[in-house]
C-alpha cells in the first residue's frame, strides 16, 4: 500500500511540474490582439534561441520561465544580445534583482564596437536603460562604452532629479521603452522616467541595433549576484 501511495505522490508531483511549466510558457505568449498590433516575443520562456553572449563571460541560463544572468568574478560587463537588429520599436519586459548589490540595464539599438570582435564576441556600445535598486537612477539612459550618462538628470546635484524610487526592491518590475527616431522614452511600473532626444551624431550612429541584457562586471572578491528578465516583447514600428 505504501509503495502505491509513493507512486501516486510521484505522479502527482510530475503532473504539477508539467502544469507549472505549461503556465510559464503560456505567460510568455502573445494574445491575438498583441499579434495583430505587431508584437513579437524576444524570449520564448524555455530557451536562449535568438540570443548570443557578448563583451564578457558572465553566465546566462533559463530558469522557471525567466532568463537569469549571473556574475562571474573578473568578467567585464557582459550582454546577452539579440541576433536581430531593430530600428524604431516599443519594448516591454519585467526584471528583478536577486539582491540589491548588482547594477544592470538593457541595451537598445546598440552595436559592436569596431575592432573588438575577437574578444568575447565584441564590445557592446550604445544607449542603455538603467536598472538598479531604489533609490537609484533606474530608467535613465546611460551611454555604454561612451562618455557616461546620455540622460541629463543623473548629473544633477538635486537628488530629487537625479534619482527615483520607482523600482520595487526584491520584486518584479515592469519596464517599457519606446524608441523612435532620435527619441528614447522610458517607463517603470507605469510611471514615466526618461524622455531623451539624442544629438544628431549619436542618433545616426545608433539608428538601428541590438537589444542586450546586461550583467555588470564585478571584482574578484564580489558576488555571485543575479538579475532576471521575463516576458520580453517587442513591437517594431514601421517608418
Amino acid at each position: 500500500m505504501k509503495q502505491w501511495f509513493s507512486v501516486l505522490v510521484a505522479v502527482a508531483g510530475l503532473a504539477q511540474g508539467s502544469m507549472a511549466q505549461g503556465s510559464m510558457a503560456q505567460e510568455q505568449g502573445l494574445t491575438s490582439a498583441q499579434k495583430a498590433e505587431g508584437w513579437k516575443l524576444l524570449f520564448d520562456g524555455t530557451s536562449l534561441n535568438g540570443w548570443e553572449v557578448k563583451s564578457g563571460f558572465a553566465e546566462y541560463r533559463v530558469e522557471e520561465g525567466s532568463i537569469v544572468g549571473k556574475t562571474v568574478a573578473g568578467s567585464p560587463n557582459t550582454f546577452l544580445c539579440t541576433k536581430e537588429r531593430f530600428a524604431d520599436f516599443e519594448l516591454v519586459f519585467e526584471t528583478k534583482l536577486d539582491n540589491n548589490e548588482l547594477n544592470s540595464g538593457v541595451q537598445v539599438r546598440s552595436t559592436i564596437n569596431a575592432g573588438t570582435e575577437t574578444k568575447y564576441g565584441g564590445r557592446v556600445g550604445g544607449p542603455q536603460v538603467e536598472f538598479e535598486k531604489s533609490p537609484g537612477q533606474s530608467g535613465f539612459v546611460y551611454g555604454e562604452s561612451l562618455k557616461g550618462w546620455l540622460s541629463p538628470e543623473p548629473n544633477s546635484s538635486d537628488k530629487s532629479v537625479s534619482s527615483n524610487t520607482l523600482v520595487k526592491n526584491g520584486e518584479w518590475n515592469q519596464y517599457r521603452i519606446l524608441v523612435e527616431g532620435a527619441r528614447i522614452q522610458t517607463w517603470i511600473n507605469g510611471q514615466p522616467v526618461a524622455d531623451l532626444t539624442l544629438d544628431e551624431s549619436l542618433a545616426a550612429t545608433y539608428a538601428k541595433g541590438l537589444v542586450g541584457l546586461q550583467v555588470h562586471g564585478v571584482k574578484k572578491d564580489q558576488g555571485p549576484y543575479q538579475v532576471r528578465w521575463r516576458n520580453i516583447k517587442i513591437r517594431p514600428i514601421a517608418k
Side-chain angles (χ1 to χ4, degrees):
M1 188 69 178
K2 289 183 179 179
Q3 289 179 336
W4 280 107
F5 179 77
S6 298
V7 170
L8 288 172
V9 169
V11 171
L14 288 172
Q16 288 178 347
S18 178
M19 289 173 64
Q21 289 179 348
S23 176
M24 286 185 290
Q26 185 177 14
E27 186 179 5
Q28 303 288 344
L30 296 172
T31 66
S32 298
Q34 287 173 324
K35 290 178 181 179
E37 292 171 353
W39 288 93
K40 60 185 290 185
L41 293 176
L42 285 184
F43 170 50
D44 61 17
T46 59
S47 74
L48 297 180
N49 291 339
W51 299 82
E52 53 191 0
V53 178
K54 301 286 186 181
S55 296
F57 49 92
E59 299 172 353
Y60 294 86
R61 69 183 189 276
V62 176
E63 180 180 282
E64 297 181 344
S66 303
I67 295 176
V68 182
K70 182 180 178 181
T71 61
V72 173
S75 172
N77 292 351
T78 306
F79 302 88
L80 182 68
C81 300
T82 58
K83 294 180 181 179
E84 186 174 355
R85 268 54 173 168
F86 302 93
D88 290 356
F89 59 84
E90 182 177 5
L91 175 70
V92 295
F93 58 90
E94 295 175 271
T95 186
K96 179 174 74 168
L97 293 171
D98 279 8
N99 51 56
N100 292 327
E101 302 301 324
L102 187 64
N103 169 287
S104 182
V106 170
Q107 298 292 134
V108 295
R109 269 198 197 154
S110 294
T111 62
I112 302 301
N113 294 348
T116 68
E117 295 84 357
T118 59
K119 187 173 183 179
Y120 306 131
R123 180 71 169 94
V124 172
Q128 177 192 123
V129 179
E130 183 79 1
F131 176 47
E132 61 182 348
K133 68 178 180 179
S134 286
Q137 295 166 322
S138 295
F140 293 123
V141 184
Y142 182 77
E144 180 68 24
S145 191
L146 297 172
K147 295 182 179 180
W149 290 102
L150 302 180
S151 289
E153 292 90 346
N155 295 316
S156 173
S157 58
D158 184 347
K159 290 186 178 181
S160 68
V161 174
S162 64
S163 64
N164 62 68
T165 57
L166 295 176
V167 163
K168 300 174 183 177
N169 293 333
E171 300 180 28
W172 285 103
N173 294 273
Q174 296 178 331
Y175 267 62
R176 177 183 174 224
I177 303 170
L178 185 60
V179 183
E180 290 187 278
R183 190 180 185 188
I184 301 175
Q185 296 172 269
T186 70
W187 293 258
I188 298 177
N189 297 321
Q191 300 299 310
V193 185
D195 189 346
L196 171 69
T197 299
L198 300 175
D199 65 37
E200 186 175 340
S201 175
L202 281 175
T205 301
Y206 300 106
K208 184 176 183 179
L210 54 82
V211 172
L213 312 180
Q214 185 197 46
V215 172
H216 203 284
V218 296
K219 296 179 181 179
K220 293 184 178 180
D221 60 346
Q222 294 179 322
Y225 306 130
Q226 294 189 148
V227 56
R228 299 170 185 262
W229 300 269
R230 69 183 184 187
N231 296 321
I232 311 171
K233 302 175 177 68
I234 195 165
R235 180 179 65 88
I237 301 172
K239 293 185 178 180

